[in-house]
Amino acid sequence: MKLREEVIIAPNNDEAIMADASGKFKGMVKLNETAAFIANLFYEDISEEEAVARLISEYECSIDQAKEAVKFTIEKIKEAGLFE
Amino acid sequence: MYKGIYEFANIKVEINSLYEYIHKMCAKYKISNNEDVKYVINITEDDIKRENEKSKGQEYIDFPLYYLETLAVYRKFLAFSIFENVFLFHSSSFMIDGKAYIITAPSGTGKSTHARFLSEVYKERFVCINDDKPLIRYENDEFMVYGTPWNGKHGLDNNVCYPLKAIFVLNRGEVDSVDKMIESVAFNFIFSQVHKPTGKDEMKLIINLLSKMAHSIHCYLLKATNRIEATEASRKIIDNKN
């Protein structure tokens, strides 16, 4: 999975905003710190499992917590149509 | 080609158009001094064709070409204005006692109507800035609201600018009320009502500006009935001098 070329993730106070800079998707996705970390991973073409592994290496969390966080973030990105 | 030099939100721009109408429309914003003109907008047939494509699916599909050209000019202006911290906020904007206010909502909610009610209440203390597409400029840690000739169906605008004091997000209501919005909710509404230029750098700039705006400008949810008494709610904020 990989984010589309024109997707940006920008800081917004204590959160981050993910938006499409091509004009195709007019909305935006709000991300907390963990979700922003996960979303940033998908600038590379990586699998869900790889994202879970990288999240665990960065944050002190269980596998189940990491799986849930990655799944939730992927769903948000998919809903917004921001994957390639 | 028709040529003119104008100043919108402190940005000097030369417009070279295919039709004369844009120059009549922008007459209030014309300047004679062509020094420091940083930007040039050249309109082509293709620009107008693109606007025609974009307008399909809207309420009116047979826009005249000279009108589509005005949209093309504004779109081109907004593509570079973001680099000057200037962006379009879809709203009805006005000044009361030296401060600017913005009423924003989806089209047809009653922004212009509520602004008109306020003009009847405040009379000469009220000046319309722009009834549809004002420009906002972030300068010296302040958000300034500027009039533009892209002024909506009622044709209301003035070549003026005032510091922004508050934003009202208008909802039609059965009762009249006004409540302060928390910053993250305010950001959502603001984001939905501004023109987003394309391009990664442009999008990052606008998110940064809107983040500052949601943080520094008070934003209120205004529930209002379609009657002049509804202004009692917005006047609670406007008449608060703090």
Side-chain angles (χ1 to χ4, degrees), chain B residues 18-231:
Chain B
L18 302 177
Y19 298 91
E20 190 178 8
Y21 179 77
I22 180 75
H23 300 284
K24 288 182 179 169
M25 184 181 119
C26 296
K28 271 190 272 188
Y29 300 82
K30 189 168 181 136
I31 54 171
S32 51
N33 176 8
N34 63 359
E35 287 174 17
D36 305 323
V37 174
K38 195 170 169 184
Y39 300 99
V40 177
I41 294 174
N42 294 312
I43 297 296
T44 66
E45 297 281 0
D46 282 346
D47 294 323
I48 295 174
K49 277 182 194 164
R50 269 194 292 276
E51 289 303 327
N52 197 26
E53 288 300 312
K54 285 178 189 290
S55 72
K56 283 176 182 169
Q58 291 185 16
E59 190 177 352
Y60 307 103
I61 57 169
D62 291 325
F63 290 117
L65 297 178
Y66 65 82
Y67 173 75
L68 291 170
E69 181 172 63
T70 67
L71 303 182
V73 168
Y74 209 13
R75 194 178 302 280
K76 287 198 166 192
F77 176 85
L78 294 167
F80 57 72
S81 73
I82 188 62
F83 295 104
E84 307 278 353
N85 291 333
V86 172
F87 60 94
L88 184 166
F89 196 137
H90 181 57
S91 61
S92 181
S93 60
F94 49 86
M95 180 282 287
I96 295 171
D97 297 341
K99 301 286 184 189
Y101 299 86
I102 276 177
I103 301 177
T104 189
S107 295
T109 307
K111 299 184 289 286
S112 299
T113 304
H114 196 85
R116 180 167 54 78
F117 288 153
L118 285 168
S119 76
E120 289 170 16
V121 171
Y122 287 98
K123 297 185 169 55
E124 68 277 2
R125 292 161 63 192
F126 178 105
V127 171
C128 173
I129 299 175
N130 178 288
D131 200 37
D132 192 42
K133 295 183 178 74
L135 289 169
I136 312 294
R137 182 183 190 103
Y138 183 64
E139 58 188 26
N140 303 322
D141 294 329
E142 265 194 314
F143 287 93
M144 303 293 291
V145 185
Y146 283 79
T148 76
W150 290 271
N151 53 20
K153 61 187 173 188
H154 301 108
L156 300 172
D157 75 280
N158 283 293
N159 188 0
V160 294
C161 76
Y162 292 97
L164 179 60
K165 184 182 175 193
I167 297 168
F168 295 105
V169 176
L170 181 67
N171 272 10
R172 283 258 173 88
E174 296 299 314
V175 292
D176 305 312
S177 65
V178 66
D179 293 291
K180 192 164 183 292
M181 298 171 105
I182 60 170
E183 188 177 323
S184 66
V185 175
F187 180 90
N188 295 352
F189 280 102
I190 293 170
F191 187 89
S192 70
Q193 292 297 305
V194 301
H195 172 83
K196 266 84 72 183
T198 56
K200 284 185 171 182
D201 290 343
E202 291 87 337
M203 186 60 89
K204 284 179 183 170
L205 280 170
I206 201 138
I207 287 173
N208 182 38
L209 286 172
L210 301 187
S211 182
K212 284 189 178 117
M213 181 180 249
H215 186 68
S216 61
I217 302 292
H218 290 172
C219 194
Y220 299 91
L221 179 62
L222 175 65
K223 291 184 179 168
T225 52
N226 194 20
R227 58 198 185 113
I228 196 165
E229 290 79 7
T231 58

Side-chain angles (χ1 to χ4, degrees), chain A residues 2-3 9 13 24 33 35 45-46 48 56 58 61 70:
Chain A
K2 190 170 186 288
L3 292 174
I9 299 172
N13 297 322
K24 288 175 189 159
E33 184 192 335
D45 188 2
I46 63 166
E48 186 169 341
I56 290 169
E58 182 72 19
C61 61
V70 169

